[in-house]
Amino acid sequence: MASYMIKGGKRLKGEVEISGSKNAALGIIAASMLLDGPCTIENVPGIADVCIMIDICEYLGAEVTREEGGTVKIDPAKLRTCDATNDKARSIRASYYLMGALLGRLGKAILYMPGGCDFGTRPIDQHLKGFNALGAKHSIEFGKITLTADRLTGDHVYFDKVSVGSTVNLMIAAAKAEGVTVIENAAREPHIVDIANFLNTMGANIKGAGTDVIRITGVRTLPGNSTYAVIPDQIEAGTFMIAAAATTGDIRITNIIPKHMEPLTAKLEEMGAVIETGDEWIRVYMQRRKRLQATNFMTMPYPGFPTDLQPQSTVLLTQAEGTGRMNENVWDNRYQYIDDLKMMGAEVLITGRVATVEGPCKLTGARVTARDLRAGAAMVIAGLAAAGTTEVADVRAIERGYENFECKLRALGADISRTED
Ligand code: UD1
């Protein structure tokens, strides 16, 4: 098992460059299975989930070449199977994007019910609602889902819930369906726009991504033969912004799209952090002798406050003066890390979806666990802010989604090392 050992109490200072977006890259790699020709994808982050997605695509028959600097070349011409029940597919949530891609390309997809982080129930009813509207049938047996369609035909789909995964999956499946598909009540996350832009660059006709109505006019072929660069990772950037505030540090975060950070920027300013913004960078710092003030957060689909920054922000509230509240509105069980945080001395009360945090509190080092990807990043921030040594165990969960996390933190002055049992 791999762990991070963190000696807390250092102010993080300096510059950090953000990697490509995990969730966009995973969706784009899955969507590339739909193409009739090869494509080149740039700015792909070197993280475990991407490696797994590439392995699954190779297992399906795609030829994949990885080059230095985050460039991935994919040729899906020799796709040989629609059966993605490879053990690896169980471990990442984003393998569900292969449902839409394989259905669109081969008319059939077989997958394990998707895995990923455990935030409580993670249904796929809206994904299925979308596929069924396009004419696909599905069956679920022995933990596997099979989708089949003689042909996919465009339709109007109104999602009952704003769902990132369902929106992406239906957009992918509809890209080569006959006629027009209209998705209403679509999710608007930046990576949805990125996946739509990728597909359009490869020959698709998708309009409205980034709004709640997306219109996809199916095309016969998706020639590919183009290059596309993945957007920067909004959640990685947000994690470093929060780390700057939590350690009363001063970090310039580069290779980002500041617009994507606005839900967090607004909250950090409310709490007393100073934010400077340029074209592709943000600087976050605390003024001398100024303390963070508590505030209230509510996670919502984009452009609301992202649930994937909830654990990191809850840790930040422990460093703020006053009573702060976090209202988790997207997932029903995303507070599993709170017991670890309490072990470090935090005062947090969970009532249903709301975590009430009394601050400021002096966190002290303890042995805690990265229970999932973002909770793990939150534990690292807690360790950076705490007195003494914190061991964050099981950090492979963090490495699923953060490229060179501990190296980037060390370059900012953190005392962090990685050990392997
Ligand atoms: C994606 C992200 C995840 C993030 C989440 C919300 C990826 C790989 N993962 O997950 O990191 O936390 O968006 O921003 O991009 N729901 C249904 N029925 C469905 C699908 C979803 O009821 O068919 C519900 C879920 O239980 C949840 C809410 O909708 O309460 C949002 O889920 P969704 O946006 O689909 O999340 P994911 O795509 O799984």
Side-chain angles (χ1 to χ4, degrees), residues 178-194:
E178 280 180 41
V180 176
T181 300
V182 178
I183 307 176
E184 302 208 42
N185 201 21
R188 293 178 278 170
E189 268 64 7
H191 56 284
I192 293 177
V193 180
D194 208 37

Side-chain angles (χ1 to χ4, degrees), residues 22-23 26 93-94 96-97 119 121-127 161-166 189 191 307-308 330-331 334:
K22 162 185 169 283
N23 289 341
L26 292 172
R93 181 80 184 158
Y96 62 15
Y97 290 145
F119 308 146
T121 50
R122 296 190 76 164
I124 57 165
D125 57 301
Q126 298 303 305
H127 299 243
K161 192 146 197 183
V162 178
S163 155
V164 174
S166 312
E189 268 64 7
H191 56 284
T307 173
D308 287 354
V330 178
W331 299 111
R334 204 172 186 173

Side-chain angles (χ1 to χ4, degrees), residues 206-347:
I206 302 174
K207 296 201 167 86
T211 74
D212 58 2
V213 181
I214 303 179
R215 190 182 169 87
I216 305 132
T217 305
V219 293
R220 267 180 202 283
T221 55
L222 282 174
N225 283 311
S226 294
T227 298
Y228 188 82
V230 175
I231 52 165
D233 196 299
Q234 174 204 17
I235 306 300
E236 187 198 6
T239 301
F240 281 102
M241 289 170 70
I242 293 168
T247 62
T248 49
D250 183 351
I251 306 183
R252 192 169 183 272
I253 298 149
T254 63
N255 185 35
I256 61 169
I257 300 174
K259 175 87 189 143
H260 295 167
M261 306 316 304
E262 279 172 3
L264 176 62
T265 304
K267 283 287 152 191
L268 290 180
E269 281 178 337
E270 246 173 76
M271 293 180 78
V274 184
I275 315 273
E276 290 173 6
T277 303
D279 275 355
E280 292 186 352
W281 58 267
I282 282 185
R283 177 181 170 207
V284 181
Y285 66 97
M286 291 299 298
Q287 269 166 350
R288 281 199 172 275
R289 286 190 280 279
K290 201 160 178 208
R291 289 213 67 141
L292 283 168
Q293 299 301 310
T295 189
N296 298 330
F297 291 82
M298 185 180 287
T299 67
M300 302 278 278
Y302 190 84
F305 191 84
T307 173
D308 287 354
L309 289 174
Q310 179 259 99
Q312 303 90 316
S313 306
T314 305
V315 169
L316 186 63
L317 285 177
T318 67
Q319 301 305 296
E321 268 175 4
T323 305
R325 281 183 193 79
M326 175 59 72
N327 191 335
E328 172 55 61
N329 244 322
V330 178
W331 299 111
D332 49 20
N333 188 17
R334 204 172 186 173
Y335 286 128
Q336 294 174 59
Y337 63 92
I338 292 288
D339 282 344
D340 280 331
L341 197 56
K342 283 183 179 172
M343 209 154 48
M344 296 178 73
E347 281 184 48

